Amino acid sequence: MGNKNNETGGASKRTMKKALLYAAVIVFCVIVISPLVIVFSSSLRTPGNQTSPLNLFIEFSGASYAQAFSNMNYPMELLNSIMTTAGSVLCIVIFSTMAAYPIGRIKSKTAKFLYYFFISGLIIPSQMVIVPIAQTLNRLGIPNTRFTPMIMFITCSLPFSVFLFSGFMKGVPVEIEESAYMDGATLPRRFSTVVFPLLQPAIVSCVITQGLWIWNDYFYPMVFISKKAQYSLPVGMLQFLGDKENPAQWNVLFAACVLCALPLILVFLALQKQFVNGIAAGAVKG
């Protein structure tokens, strides 16, 4: 009789824990999703509708999207964002894997020093030294174009990316390279055909983390780009914030936010299988 009571009490405790866990997850999801629902609901209103945003889906209009699309020059800014993000991420993956390869393979004090040298870049925020960097680029005669922020994106992403790839590089078996070496493969060939494909999980993580940051960043494009035709999407959204004379166009701003996030959503939906497989491979490997 006592054992049955203990089993019943243990089952009730487990049920209570599961219920509390599910409740916590539901509350967390509501907190995260609520702002997104409010933004999407407000973006479906006309620009002049100033009703409280908490009144969800009281109007369904594409006027705010049309105004945001037109005022932002969306096709041009979308192209600028794609060029900046894709070019920066490509350079980050190439440079960081090439730097992490000797750091993860060579067991010497020099390699250890280089590892800590790159890691030290995570300590100092780049925003603290943006003024001398801007002055240096100006004295070097580097023009302010859509490609200028890529210099900052690449250099600021290298410390974390080298840290990520060098840690993952230690898990790549050396025996695979030795067999390729015995077959006569040169160092560049071993790196490009043997090591680099095995870094797919780390590459996926790097593309996701750094690509999202570069796509959503407006600070560096705002500092280094002077021509409106070369603005990226986040910088183009700033015009809807308004000022003292012109109040913020919130519905249009929310529509611009949705337009800015839409390409990322479509890319994730199209490449979801590759992202999940890459992350899962890294988890199995670890």
Side-chain angles (χ1 to χ4, degrees):
M1 190 70 178
N3 292 334
K4 290 183 178 180
N5 292 333
N6 291 336
E7 291 177 0
T8 304
S12 61
K13 288 182 179 179
R14 288 193 295 270
T15 303
M16 181 63 67
K17 289 182 179 179
K18 287 184 179 180
L20 292 176
L21 178 61
Y22 290 152
V25 171
I26 292 173
V27 171
F28 176 77
C29 292
V30 170
I31 293 175
V32 172
I33 296 176
S34 295
L36 302 179
V37 174
I38 293 174
V39 167
F40 183 66
S41 172
S42 300
S43 68
L44 295 175
R45 302 179 182 182
T46 56
N49 189 339
Q50 301 298 323
T51 308
S52 173
L54 298 179
N55 298 328
L56 301 177
F57 301 106
I58 60 175
E59 185 180 5
F60 296 91
S61 172
S64 295
Y65 284 96
Q67 184 172 340
F69 189 92
S70 176
N71 292 359
M72 291 175 63
N73 193 5
Y74 184 79
M76 179 59 68
E77 293 183 1
L78 176 62
L79 178 61
N80 294 335
S81 293
I82 292 175
M83 294 173 60
T84 301
T85 304
S88 299
V89 170
L90 179 62
C91 293
I92 291 167
V93 171
I94 294 175
F95 294 156
S96 56
T97 51
M98 293 175 64
Y101 179 67
I103 292 176
R105 283 287 183 260
I106 301 175
K107 308 298 180 182
S108 65
K109 293 183 178 180
T110 303
K112 194 172 184 179
F113 168 77
L114 290 175
Y115 175 77
Y116 288 113
F117 173 77
F118 279 104
I119 294 301
S120 63
L122 297 172
I123 301 175
I124 303 175
S126 58
Q127 290 81 359
M128 293 180 58
V129 293
I130 191 64
V131 174
I133 289 177
Q135 293 176 346
T136 302
L137 294 178
N138 186 30
R139 292 176 181 176
L140 291 175
I142 298 177
N144 291 334
T145 65
R146 61 172 62 91
F147 301 104
T148 308
M150 293 175 57
I151 300 174
M152 296 301 303
F153 289 137
I154 295 171
T155 54
C156 293
S157 298
L158 280 179
F160 171 79
S161 301
V162 171
F163 169 75
L164 175 66
F165 284 112
S166 59
F168 195 88
M169 192 79 66
K170 297 177 182 179
V172 178
V174 182
E175 292 77 12
I176 300 178
E177 288 187 71
E178 291 178 349
S179 62
Y181 176 75
M182 296 299 294
D183 292 337
T186 61
L187 179 60
R189 185 172 180 82
R190 295 199 304 270
F191 173 76
S192 59
T193 61
V194 178
V195 177
F196 191 82
L198 296 177
L199 299 177
Q200 180 184 355
I203 292 174
V204 171
S205 301
C206 180
V207 169
I208 293 175
T209 56
Q210 305 308 305
L212 286 175
W213 167 61
I214 294 172
W215 181 274
N216 293 321
D217 185 80
Y218 73 92
F219 180 73
Y220 295 124
M222 183 178 62
V223 172
F224 292 104
I225 295 179
S226 55
K227 296 181 180 179
K228 187 175 180 180
Q230 299 178 352
Y231 283 169
S232 60
L233 287 175
V235 179
M237 292 167 52
L238 295 178
Q239 63 180 300
F240 302 117
L241 289 177
D243 49 34
K244 293 182 178 180
E245 289 76 17
N246 301 309
Q249 299 173 286
W250 292 110
N251 296 340
V252 182
L253 177 61
F254 291 150
C257 292
V258 175
L259 291 175
C260 184
L262 184 60
L264 292 179
I265 298 174
L266 296 178
V267 169
F268 179 78
L269 292 177
L271 303 178
Q272 183 178 10
K273 184 177 181 180
Q274 287 76 4
F275 288 154
V276 173
N277 290 341
I279 295 175
V284 173
K285 189 176 183 63

